[in-house]
Amino acid sequence: MLNKAKTTKDDKKMFREIFLYSFFLESSYNYERQQGLGFAVGMWPTIKRFYKTKAERADALLRHLSIFNTTPHVVTAITGVAAALEKQASENEDFDKNTINSVKVGLMGPLAGIGDSFFWGTLRIIATGIGLPLAAQGNILGPILFLLVFNIPHLLVRYYGGVLGYKFGTNLLNKASDSGIMNILTKAATIVGLMVIGAMSASMVKLETPLKFMISGKEFLLQDYIDQIFPLLLPLLYTLFMFNLLKKDHKSTTLLLVTIAFGLLGVFLHIL
C-alpha cells in the first residue's frame, strides 16, 4: 500500500513542478545521454527542495545527467521514485547515492514498454479512429476529439504518476529502513540497472565482420563462427573499449571521432 501520510501544501507544489518540468524531457535529446539532461531538469524541483547548498545541488544534478530514456508520458512515475530517494539521501549521510541511478535505469525499461504499448500502440490508434472520420469530412471536431481523447489520459497519468511514484518510493524506503533490507534493495537495483545497460548495448551496438577464409575449397565466414561461440562478441568488445576510454576521461567527442575513424578504416580494409 502507498504511504497515507497527509500531503502538505509544499508537496502539492513539488508535484505540480515535477509535472510541468517533465515536458522538457526531450527538449535536449541527444545520442550521448538521450533524455539525461531533460530528466535532470525534471528533478530540479526535488533537488532545490531537499538540498540547501550549491555543492549538494550541483552533485545531485550531475548524478541525474547520466543516460536515460523512457516513454515521456510516464516519466514522472520515475521522477517521483527518484525524488523519494533523493529525500532519503539528503537526510541520511550513509545512503548509497548510486542506488538512485540504479533504480532509475531499472524502471525506465519496463515503464517504457508499458508506456509505448498503451500510448503509442493503443490510445493513439483509438484517438485516431475517433477523430479521423470527422476530420475527413472537414469537421473541426475531428482534430479536437483526437487531441482530447489522447491527452486527457496522458495528462492525468503524467501528473498522478509523479504523486504515486513519490509516495510509493517513500513507503518503500520506510519499510526497507525498518526491516533492514536496504542493502539487499541497493544490490538488487544495481543488478537490474546493469542488466538494462547490457541489454541496451547488445541491441544498439552493431558490429560484424565480413572476413572469410577458404579450407579445402570451401568458404567459411568468420562471423558465423563467432556467433556460434560467443554471440555479439564484437559489439561487447567495442563497448568495453569505449568504456575504457571513458574511464580514462576521454570526451564523448573523442569517442565519436574514434568510432567514425574505426568504421571508415574497417570498411576500407574490408574487415567490417
Side-chain angles (χ1 to χ4, degrees):
M1 295 179 65
L2 297 176
N3 193 334
K4 294 183 178 180
K6 184 178 179 181
T7 302
T8 65
K9 187 175 182 179
D10 198 30
D11 288 335
K12 292 180 180 179
K13 179 182 177 182
M14 182 181 71
F15 296 145
R16 287 196 299 271
E17 290 181 336
I18 287 175
F19 169 74
L20 293 174
Y21 279 50
S22 71
F23 288 97
F24 293 104
L25 181 68
E26 295 192 297
S27 59
S28 59
Y29 190 97
N30 59 81
Y31 285 101
E32 180 186 358
R33 300 183 182 183
Q34 298 184 341
Q35 299 168 343
L37 181 56
F39 188 87
V41 172
M43 286 296 297
W44 177 243
T46 299
I47 292 170
K48 71 178 181 179
R49 180 186 187 193
F50 297 133
Y51 297 102
K52 304 306 178 185
T53 67
K54 289 184 178 180
E56 290 175 329
R57 291 176 175 180
D59 179 64
L61 282 173
L62 286 173
R63 180 162 55 251
H64 290 291
L65 285 175
S66 60
I67 186 171
F68 181 85
N69 192 42
T70 196
T71 308
H73 312 77
V74 300
V75 68
T76 52
I78 303 175
T79 307
V81 174
L85 293 171
E86 289 291 358
K87 181 176 185 293
Q88 180 75 7
S90 68
E91 296 172 349
N92 183 2
E93 294 182 358
D94 297 327
F95 186 85
D96 184 1
K97 294 179 181 178
N98 292 325
T99 305
I100 301 173
N101 275 335
S102 297
V103 170
K104 278 171 49 183
V105 172
L107 289 175
M108 70 182 188
L111 284 182
I114 296 171
D116 286 348
S117 298
F118 178 73
F119 286 102
W120 296 132
T122 303
L123 187 60
R124 181 173 60 115
I125 305 303
I126 294 173
T128 302
I130 294 174
L132 191 59
L134 292 173
Q137 298 173 13
N139 194 325
I140 190 61
L141 285 177
I144 293 175
L145 283 176
F146 170 81
L147 292 173
L148 289 176
V149 171
F150 185 83
N151 282 297
I152 289 177
H154 155 223
L155 295 177
L156 289 173
V157 169
R158 190 180 281 258
Y159 178 81
Y160 286 103
V163 177
L164 297 176
Y166 180 77
K167 291 184 176 181
F168 173 78
T170 301
N171 189 51
L172 179 64
L173 286 169
N174 288 338
K175 287 186 176 180
S177 178
D178 294 340
S179 60
I181 62 170
M182 195 61 209
N183 291 334
I184 298 176
L185 177 64
T186 299
K187 185 176 181 179
T190 302
I191 292 173
V192 173
L194 290 173
M195 289 174 63
V196 172
I197 293 298
M200 289 177 62
S201 300
S203 63
M204 298 177 68
V205 180
K206 307 296 183 182
L207 185 60
E208 295 183 348
T209 178
L211 289 176
K212 53 188 176 182
F213 51 91
M214 302 292 293
I215 297 180
S216 301
K218 187 176 182 180
E219 184 178 85
F220 292 87
L221 295 176
L222 179 59
Q223 186 64 49
D224 290 343
Y225 284 92
I226 293 176
D227 290 340
Q228 292 176 29
I229 298 171
F230 196 138
L232 300 176
L233 175 62
L234 296 182
L236 173 62
L237 292 176
Y238 195 76
T239 300
L240 293 176
F241 173 61
M242 291 288 105
F243 180 67
N244 185 57
L245 293 181
L246 285 173
K247 288 179 65 177
K248 293 181 178 179
D249 296 326
H250 289 285
K251 296 181 179 179
S252 59
T253 304
T254 302
L255 272 64
L256 179 61
L257 293 175
V258 168
T259 300
I260 293 173
F262 179 72
L264 292 174
L265 184 62
V267 172
F268 178 76
L269 297 176
H270 302 290
I271 60 175
L272 293 177

